[in-house]
Amino acid sequence: MWTYVIRRLASAVPTLFIIIAIAFFMIRLAPGGPFDRERVVPPEISANLNRVYHLDEPLPQQFVRYLKGLARGDFGPSFKYRDFTVTELIAAGFPVSLKIGLWAMAAAVLLGVGLGAWAAQRRNSVADHLVMGAAMTGIAVPNFVVAPLLSLVIGVYLNLLPVGGLGDGGVRHLLLPVISLALPQVAYIARLSRGSMIEVLSADYIRTGRAKGLTQRRIVFRHALKNALTPVISYLGPATAAIVTGSVVIEQIFGIPGLGRYFVQGALNRDYTLVMGVVVTYGSLIIVLNLAVDLLYGFLDPRVRSHG
């Protein structure tokens, strides 16, 4: 097992390096610079700013300097938030994004698996068609459309929940962002669960269980659900990474001070170090989550581990 983990981590290093290299050169080759929105300053001061932040060096030299800092865990200073380092900004924003993302993912798994399993047991019935129709709608409508609608109806018209800010971090302030993030994933997971559950319920060992007189409840929860969850679990790694990193738009809509909001502000302000810090954090998170899912997948299906 440890050999498998070490081999997967070693293979992740080149992937992360490529992500860092592409992001580093793309953000610097984009038009504009980190100080272009400042008031016009004399050329001498502009040259001094570039020298202080090493922006006057050739790009390869800047890249090597950045990698050396990264190896020490130093993301560098923020160009926009002058009193903060990028590490401090990430430490402040990442827990917020992670909290919202994990709550959304937990809700998506519970609802998606439940609805998918329920629909599979009523295959081709009206209830099945209603669940799958709702799932298709959830997939088709992006969350940047759902979020403003929820804000307008639930927050403004009905005045049930706050529509912006994190407030005291309580449940009332988290509900709308979490629902907006979770809805598309509920739809995907429900469809995956239904398809997998239908396949498992038609397996020979399930028919044998029915012939022995086992109840439907026992068949589903004791024998079918574990095997039906295998494709869902393989989807959870990329989905969790997507839901955490995909909170960029949701954080902007609801005014939440998470990592995604820093990413947007960093990109708009050409805050090179802040953008790179967020990219490295997101890239590492995606790699770790995919590794965790591979390990869990191998636990549920030993054939995967033996061939990995």
Side-chain angles (χ1 to χ4, degrees):
M1 174 64 77
W2 285 111
T3 305
Y4 176 72
V5 174
I6 292 171
R7 191 165 62 241
R8 288 300 310 272
L9 285 175
S11 67
V13 173
T15 304
L16 188 59
F17 176 80
I18 292 172
I19 293 172
I20 293 171
I22 292 175
F24 182 90
F25 288 105
M26 283 188 68
I27 186 67
R28 278 168 172 74
L29 292 176
F35 307 114
D36 287 358
R37 291 192 175 188
E38 307 284 348
R39 61 186 176 86
V40 178
V41 295
E44 296 80 9
I45 296 178
S46 179
N48 281 336
L49 285 172
N50 288 333
R51 181 177 54 79
V52 168
Y53 290 103
H54 307 288
L55 297 176
D56 56 345
E57 297 174 352
L59 278 182
Q61 188 175 343
Q62 293 183 45
F63 184 57
V64 172
R65 182 186 294 279
Y66 183 77
L67 289 180
K68 288 180 178 177
L70 202 58
R72 299 192 301 271
D74 180 13
F75 288 106
S78 169
F79 294 165
K80 178 66 177 177
Y81 304 92
R82 302 289 171 77
D83 296 330
F84 297 92
T85 65
V86 172
T87 304
E88 291 171 337
L89 293 174
I90 290 175
F94 183 66
V96 177
S97 297
L98 188 65
K99 182 179 180 181
I100 295 172
L102 291 182
W103 274 113
M105 202 66 227
V109 170
L110 286 175
L111 283 175
V113 171
L115 288 173
W118 187 73
Q121 296 173 70
R122 294 157 180 80
R123 185 180 181 185
N124 295 328
S125 67
V126 175
D128 181 24
H129 291 311
L130 285 176
V131 170
M132 288 303 101
M136 283 301 297
T137 305
I139 293 172
V141 181
N143 55 15
F144 61 79
V145 174
V146 173
L149 285 176
L150 289 176
S151 297
L152 187 65
V153 176
I154 299 177
V156 177
Y157 290 159
L158 301 179
N159 197 26
L160 295 176
L161 293 171
V163 297
L166 198 57
D168 57 357
V171 175
R172 294 184 73 252
H173 289 85
L174 295 177
L175 270 179
L176 288 181
V178 167
I179 292 172
S180 303
L181 275 175
L183 282 179
Q185 299 303 328
V186 171
Y188 280 114
I189 293 174
R191 289 184 62 81
L192 271 176
S193 302
R194 176 188 177 273
S196 180
M197 182 63 86
I198 287 174
E199 186 177 346
V200 171
L201 288 176
S202 62
D204 290 341
Y205 72 96
I206 296 294
R207 283 199 291 268
T208 303
R210 286 188 175 126
K212 288 183 176 180
L214 297 181
T215 63
Q216 181 70 7
R217 181 187 182 91
R218 186 178 178 87
I219 286 173
V220 170
F221 288 98
R222 185 72 179 269
H223 300 285
L225 195 56
K226 179 182 175 183
N227 291 332
L229 283 179
T230 304
V232 176
I233 288 173
S234 66
Y235 172 74
L236 289 185
T240 306
I243 210 168
V244 174
T245 58
S247 60
V248 171
V249 177
I250 298 299
E251 289 173 8
Q252 280 292 110
I253 292 174
F254 290 103
I256 296 172
L259 200 55
R261 197 177 183 195
Y262 283 132
F263 181 77
V264 173
Q265 294 300 322
L268 292 175
N269 294 316
R270 298 292 185 272
D271 193 340
Y272 297 152
T273 49
L274 181 56
V275 171
M276 287 302 302
V278 176
V279 168
V280 171
T281 304
Y282 279 159
S284 304
L285 178 68
I286 291 171
I287 289 171
V288 169
L289 288 174
N290 277 292
L291 174 62
V293 167
D294 285 348
L295 295 176
L296 187 58
Y297 198 67
F299 172 75
L300 291 174
D301 188 352
R303 292 172 299 176
V304 176
R305 190 168 62 243
S306 62
H307 290 90

